[in-house]
Amino acid sequence: MNRRTLGLLAALCLTSACKEDPVGAMTPIPRPADMPATPEKTAEAPKPVAAEPPPDPSKVTLRWKLDAPTAFRLTTTSSSAAPAPEPKSKKGKKGKESQPEAGPSGETDAIFVLQKTESGDYAFRIVPQKAGGEADQGTMSERGFVMDGLAGPLRNVAVLVLELPREPVGPETTWALGTDLVDMGSVQGFVEKKAERRNQVKLTALTPGENGEQVATLEYDLSERLAGEMRATRAQIRAVMKTASSKPQHAPHEGHEDGDEEESSQGEPSVVAEMRVKGRGEFLVKAGRWRSWEATLTTRTEGTSLPGTSNGERTLRLTPLDPVPPELLQPQAKK
C-alpha cells in the first residue's frame, strides 16, 4: 500500500471519530404528537384562612370585672333544727379557732372582698364580722375558679358564689361547678358503698337591665349523697385489744390477725351524709358582678357528723356593698 492510500485511510478514521457521540450521552426521545405540552409551574396561591364564626348574639360570656374592688356581705341564716354532735375540739390547724358556725335561727356575717393584686391576679378575702374571727384569702381566675386557698366547707361556699361558666352561655345552657359538697376524707374508718351526685347550674334567662345592662339569671341545683359503713381502723383495733388483754381471750377466728386494718363488716354501723343546694342569682353581664344571689343548703347526716356543718337548712345570701368600706381594702401581696 502506498503512502497516498495510507493518508486517505487516516483522514477517514479521524473524521468518523469526531462524529461519534461521547460515552454515556443521552439522546432525547421526541414527544408524541398527541401528548400535550407540560405547563409551566406557578407559585401556589395561599389557602384562604377560614373566618371565625361571628359571636352568637343569644349567648354571653360571664366574667368578673375587678377594675375596682368589689365587696359583698354574705349572710348565713340557719333554720331551727337539731344540731349534729359537736366535735370535741374547735381548734383548726396551727391552733387557730375554726370559723364560728351559725346556731339554730342565728346568723353569721362575713364580707367577700374581690380585687386585683399588684401583679394583676384576681384575689379574694373572706372577712368574718364576729369578734375573734380571722380572714381567709385565696386567688381565683377571671371566671371565679378558685385556684389557691381555702379548704372544706368554706371552699365550697367560695365556689358557689364565685365560679362562673367557662364557655359563653345562653338560655337553657347548663354547666357544673368544682364543688365537693360531702367530704368524708376526714372521717376515719368510713368506707364508701354508694354515691349519688347531681351538679348543675342553668342560665334560665337573659333580660335587659338599666343603662344597657344585661342580667343573666342563674339557677343552682346541686346535691351529693354518700352512703357507707364505719369500720374500725388499725389504731382502734389495737386500743380495744390492749384494753381486753387482761381478760380471758377466745381463740381468734381464722383469717384475722393482729394488725388487720378492718374487722368483719357484720354489725358495722351504716352512715349516710347528704347535702343539697338550691339557689338563684342575677349576674350583671357588663358590670361583671352579682346583683343578687341566694341559695338554701340542706344537710343531713346519719351515723356520723360532717366537720364544719350541722343538720338542717341554711340560707346563704349575698348583698352588694357599694362603696366598699375603706377598712376592708388592703394591699395584696405578689405571688
Side-chain angles (χ1 to χ4, degrees):
M1 187 179 293
N2 56 25
R3 292 182 179 180
R4 182 176 295 179
T5 304
L6 291 173
L8 180 60
L9 290 174
L12 290 174
C13 289
L14 290 173
T15 304
S16 60
C18 291
K19 291 183 178 179
E20 287 182 358
D21 294 333
V23 179
M26 300 180 66
T27 303
I29 301 174
R31 181 187 303 279
D34 59 346
M35 183 176 181
T38 304
E40 296 181 0
K41 292 184 178 180
T42 57
E44 294 184 1
K47 295 181 180 180
V49 179
E52 294 185 1
D56 189 341
S58 66
K59 294 184 177 182
V60 293
T61 301
L62 305 182
R63 293 292 182 267
W64 289 97
K65 296 182 175 127
L66 301 182
D67 297 331
T70 302
F72 301 90
R73 179 181 296 278
L74 177 67
T75 303
T76 305
T77 306
S78 297
S79 62
S80 56
E86 293 185 359
K88 294 181 180 180
S89 175
K90 292 287 185 177
K91 297 287 184 180
K93 293 182 179 180
K94 297 182 181 181
K96 294 193 303 182
E97 292 290 338
S98 60
Q99 293 293 333
E101 296 181 25
S105 301
E107 293 187 354
T108 298
D109 291 342
I111 304 295
F112 266 81
V113 183
L114 315 178
Q115 62 185 119
K116 276 187 180 180
T117 65
E118 294 179 359
S119 60
D121 295 330
Y122 280 28
F124 64 89
R125 287 189 303 126
I126 304 176
V127 185
Q129 298 301 285
K130 283 194 172 182
E134 294 187 15
D136 287 276
Q137 62 184 7
T139 58
M140 67 180 191
S141 67
E142 191 179 8
R143 72 178 185 94
F145 181 81
V146 178
M147 297 185 294
D148 181 53
L150 308 184
L154 195 58
R155 182 183 180 91
N156 277 325
V157 172
V159 171
L160 287 173
V161 303
L162 295 178
E163 193 170 312
L164 300 170
R166 181 180 302 176
E167 305 294 338
V169 291
E172 302 306 312
T173 301
T174 61
W175 62 94
L177 299 180
T179 57
D180 188 11
L181 298 179
V182 180
D183 182 9
M184 300 294 288
S186 59
V187 180
Q188 294 186 356
F190 175 74
V191 179
E192 181 180 314
K193 295 295 184 180
K194 185 178 180 181
E196 299 175 5
R197 293 179 176 88
R198 177 179 176 82
N199 189 327
Q200 178 178 288
V201 185
K202 179 190 292 186
L203 190 149
T204 57
L206 274 174
T207 55
E210 299 178 356
N211 301 321
E213 182 61 88
Q214 268 188 308
V215 181
T217 302
L218 279 58
E219 292 189 359
Y220 294 74
D221 184 6
L222 298 88
S223 64
E224 188 167 344
R225 183 180 186 274
L226 299 182
E229 297 174 344
M230 295 296 294
R231 295 185 180 180
T233 63
R234 181 184 293 111
Q236 292 170 333
I237 293 174
R238 287 178 176 174
V240 172
M241 293 182 66
K242 184 177 180 180
T243 303
S245 61
S246 59
K247 299 180 181 180
Q249 298 293 318
H250 298 286
H253 295 288
E254 183 179 354
H256 289 267
E257 301 177 358
D258 184 19
D260 284 348
E261 185 172 355
E262 298 178 355
E263 292 183 331
S264 170
S265 61
Q266 295 181 357
E268 290 172 348
S270 60
V271 172
V272 175
E274 180 180 10
M275 181 175 288
R276 299 191 304 272
V277 179
K278 292 282 189 179
R280 184 178 185 274
E282 294 181 343
F283 193 83
L284 301 176
V285 178
K286 293 185 178 181
R289 59 181 176 83
W290 291 112
R291 181 169 75 175
S292 64
W293 188 94
E294 182 175 324
T296 299
L297 279 65
T298 305
T299 304
R300 183 178 72 90
T301 59
E302 295 178 3
T304 188
S305 60
L306 293 177
T309 63
S310 58
N311 285 341
E313 287 188 356
R314 293 175 295 156
T315 300
L316 274 62
R317 183 180 296 107
L318 283 182
T319 305
L321 291 179
D322 191 15
V324 180
E327 63 271 14
L328 295 177
L329 301 179
Q330 67 177 25
Q332 298 289 331
K334 294 182 179 180
K335 295 293 287 181

